[in-house]
Every structure is written in structure tokens, then in C-alpha cells.
Amino acid sequence: MLLSHTDTVVADAAEWQVDPWSGELRDDEIWGRGALDMKGQVAASAVALATLAREGFEPAGDLVFTAVADEEVGEGFGLPWLCAEHPDAVRTDYALNEGAGERIELLGRPFYLCSSAEKMSSPFQLRVHGRAGHASMPGIADNALVKAVPLIEKLAGYRPELQLGPETSALVEAIAGRPLEAAEALELAREVDPSAAELLEPLLSLTLSPTMISASERRNVIPHLCEVVVDCRLLPGQAQAEVEPLLREVLGEGDYDFEWIEGRGGTRSTIESPLWDAVASFVAETEPDAALLPVSVAGFTDSHWLREAFGTVAYGFFPMRAMDPQLAARLIHSADERIAVDDLELAVRCFRHAAVEVTGSR
Ligand SMILES: [Zn+2]
């Protein structure tokens, strides 16, 4: 399956140099909301399969083009609905989706990243309890907002244990040339390139970012309740049940309730597969010195629905070498999103290659 989503996040035209809905071609780049996330991949996937069909290519198995809605919001109208209501239409052994594909250079060698695992989006809420009162007499109340502060500081100061999973071990070994411990690997990444360390660090542990807080709705009322929402991402395979006692220990005793808001994603696929080999051989053909590296991504994509429903081996790969990956990362969900035409062409070649390699012979 070549999987993609057609919905995008909103765009505020006032922030853009061009009309965000124009798809304008300027300096060999196509500008517009969704160019990178991910109408570029929708288009490249469609062109790859359409050209193969026109040439009379007959796959040994099914080749499925799937472009879904509702990935960005996730209210159950997109791929989860298809998996539940039309499983026969979307059940495949292998799938290529969004998630990675950037070309990076480390120690003078080019690498292309392919995501084979995703962290779990696992936000939680703290409800900190106090006692309301008039703000002019703080002594009569017990201010829940003030009581939330030390809890937030404990979460912000927490340094979880670093650990390597199968993807991060393979990533580190390919770069360093030998296996390393997680802490050693991070140290080395910092020496080699600070941006490599920024990329690696969230892949070595769960992350915690307190992002939302609400308390009194009136300036002169001391709140009896303060709610803090913490964006939390678990490592692939890590379970909420194993992490919760750790977090409770970090927070310590107190007048609060801890509650998970959701747990989505967190799945992985093996890198021992014909699809991995197909992507790797595309990379080798495109750039003989380059190697393909597995990564787990900090966000999550629709791949997890396929992995959970059918055990599909799903990877995130859209090869990108014309545009600087740091620029691309900044443009996604932001103003002036655009994609290089050369990268679109590269992706068409990649998806054609993968489709032929995986389904060309049984
Ligand atoms: Zn996307």
C-alpha cells in the first residue's frame, strides 16, 4: 500500500508570501499548505501507481493506493474507519506512509532516514485540589494554582533513564561503527553535530512537556482546582501501566489526581522485510555511498492503525535530498510550506521501485 492523507492543518494567508491554497510553482518549488504534509506524497504515490498501470505492470499481489481524510484531527473518519468498516480494502502486508525520508550527513557520510517505529502519544492530566476563597484574603484559602507549581517543576526537572530500542541501536551502530550505550551515543552525537543530538535525544526516553494549565476563571477568586495537561510521549513498546508508577514517584505525595487522557500509537515494524530491502536498494541505486537508517519518530502517523489491525509492516519514507531537512521540519504546519520539484520526482521513482520490488515477483 502507498498510504497518504489528504487533509491538512489550517493556513492563515496573512502569514504567507503566496496564497497558501495556490500550489504556486516558484524557483523549482511548489508552494502551498500540505506541500510537505503531505499532498506531495499523495501526488507522488498516485503518479507512481498510475504510470506503472499505464505501462502495463502487473503486480503479483495487490497494489493499493490509499489517500485518507482526518489524519490531523483524528476523529475516526479516516484510516481507523477504513480498517474497521472496509478491512478487505486496506489489509496489506506492507505499506509506505509519511514519517521520514530525510537525507542527513553524519561524519561525512550520507544517510536516509526511514521510520519503522513511533512513540506513543500519551498525554496526562493532573487535577490539583485546594480550597477556594476571596483573593483579597489568601490566608483563608488553599490556592490550587500555587500547589501545582512544584508538581510542574518536578516534571520539568525529571531526567528519565535513556534506553536504546532496536531502531535506535541500529541507528547508533550504523553511525558510530560499533554498538554504544544510550548515554554514550548521545554524548557522541553532541560532539558530532548538535542537530543530530536534538534528533536523537527524544528517541532515547519518554518525554514530558507540560503545555496547558487552567485554574480560576476570575481574578479575585482563589481557585480550588488547577488542571495541568502534560504532553507525554512514550517509547515504542512502552506501556502506560509501567510508566505511571515512575511518574507518581517523580511527583511524590500530594493533593492531586493523575489521569491519562489518551494513548495513541507507540507501534513498531520489523526492519527485516522485503519492503525495507526495497527502500534500501532504492537508496543504494540513487546514491551509492548512502545508507538507509531506521528511526523511531517522535510524533505518530496513520501507520499505527495498519500495524494494530493487520500486523502490516509499515514505514515512513518520502526521500528528500533537494530541500534541507531542517528547513522542511520548520515549514510543516507553518507558513510558506513548500516542496522541491526534484524531491517529488525522486519520490515517484522511489515508490515505483518499491512497488515493483515488493510485488513484482511472488
Ligand atoms: Zn501528515
Side-chain angles (χ1 to χ4, degrees):
M1 177 191 293
L2 296 180
L3 172 65
S4 52
H5 66 81
T6 55
D7 59 318
T8 67
V9 294
V10 294
D12 178 355
E15 296 176 351
W16 286 62
Q17 295 180 48
V18 303
D19 171 1
W21 310 108
S22 65
E24 193 175 315
L25 178 62
R26 190 196 268 196
D27 304 329
D28 298 322
E29 292 175 326
I30 295 174
W31 290 57
R33 171 56 82 230
L36 291 164
D37 183 14
M38 63 177 291
K39 293 188 176 186
Q41 190 161 348
V42 175
S45 301
V47 171
L49 293 199
T51 52
L52 284 173
R54 262 179 237 141
E55 289 161 18
F57 173 69
E58 286 189 28
D62 290 325
L63 256 180
V64 182
F65 170 78
T66 308
V68 299
D70 190 35
E71 192 275 341
E72 298 290 357
V73 178
E75 301 227 296
F77 299 113
L79 191 58
W81 182 82
L82 282 170
C83 290
E85 302 296 327
H86 298 278
D88 290 343
V90 289
R91 184 188 293 115
T92 56
D93 298 317
Y94 307 102
L96 271 185
N97 182 25
E98 66 179 337
E102 310 83 314
R103 178 188 186 281
I104 57 168
E105 269 181 47
L106 293 169
L107 302 168
R109 188 174 178 204
F111 294 96
Y112 284 80
L113 307 180
C114 179
S115 66
S116 57
E118 295 171 355
K119 294 185 83 175
M120 181 195 277
S121 168
S122 185
F124 60 87
Q125 177 174 256
L126 298 178
R127 290 166 60 86
V128 186
H129 302 284
R131 198 175 59 249
H134 197 283
S136 63
M137 298 162 71
I140 63 164
D142 184 20
N143 192 327
L145 178 60
V146 173
K147 289 167 79 175
V149 172
L151 298 174
I152 295 169
E153 283 177 339
K154 282 178 192 167
L155 293 174
Y158 176 49
R159 293 289 166 266
E161 187 200 343
L162 301 180
Q163 38 182 297
L164 290 170
E167 307 79 26
T168 35
S169 296
L171 174 78
V172 164
E173 191 167 343
I175 295 168
R178 65 190 170 93
L180 295 176
E181 295 292 314
E184 229 182 332
L186 186 58
E187 193 74 11
L188 177 70
R190 287 206 179 100
E191 283 167 28
V192 173
D193 182 349
S195 64
E198 277 171 27
L199 185 81
L200 185 62
E201 194 168 16
L203 304 181
L204 299 178
S205 72
L206 64 90
T207 57
L208 296 174
S209 298
T211 50
M212 297 163 82
I213 189 164
S214 60
S216 179
E217 288 183 2
R218 290 184 187 279
R219 195 210 68 225
N220 61 357
V221 177
I222 290 174
H224 73 281
L225 180 68
C226 178
E227 293 178 329
V228 180
V229 174
V230 182
D231 181 289
C232 172
R233 312 275 165 143
L234 307 186
L235 287 172
Q238 218 170 24
Q240 289 177 335
E242 86 189 65
V243 169
E244 188 175 327
L246 278 176
L247 295 178
R248 286 187 183 274
E249 203 181 302
V250 170
L251 291 162
E253 295 287 305
D255 228 352
Y256 64 87
D257 305 317
F258 176 103
E259 195 187 335
W260 296 108
I261 298 170
E262 65 167 24
R264 283 212 285 175
T267 55
R268 62 160 50 102
S269 291
T270 174
I271 59 172
E272 317 254 312
S273 82
L275 181 58
W276 183 270
D277 297 343
V279 177
S281 64
F282 169 77
V283 166
E285 218 179 85
T286 305
E287 215 177 319
D289 314 341
L292 186 65
L293 285 184
V295 287
S296 53
V297 292
F300 68 88
T301 68
D302 272 341
S303 293
H304 77 98
W305 298 112
L306 293 178
R307 291 190 187 122
E308 281 161 9
F310 313 117
T312 304
V313 170
Y315 303 134
F317 193 75
F318 183 98
M320 185 174 291
R321 62 175 177 181
M323 182 175 278
D324 171 31
Q326 281 172 315
L327 173 64
R330 272 208 306 281
L331 294 175
I332 288 174
H333 291 200
S334 182
D336 296 335
E337 184 178 354
R338 57 194 185 268
I339 191 164
V341 172
D342 282 353
D343 286 335
L344 282 169
E345 288 174 356
L346 186 66
V348 171
R349 289 217 307 278
C350 173
F351 298 152
R352 283 175 53 99
H353 176 93
V356 170
E357 289 291 306
V358 174
T359 68
S361 58
R362 217 185 276 270

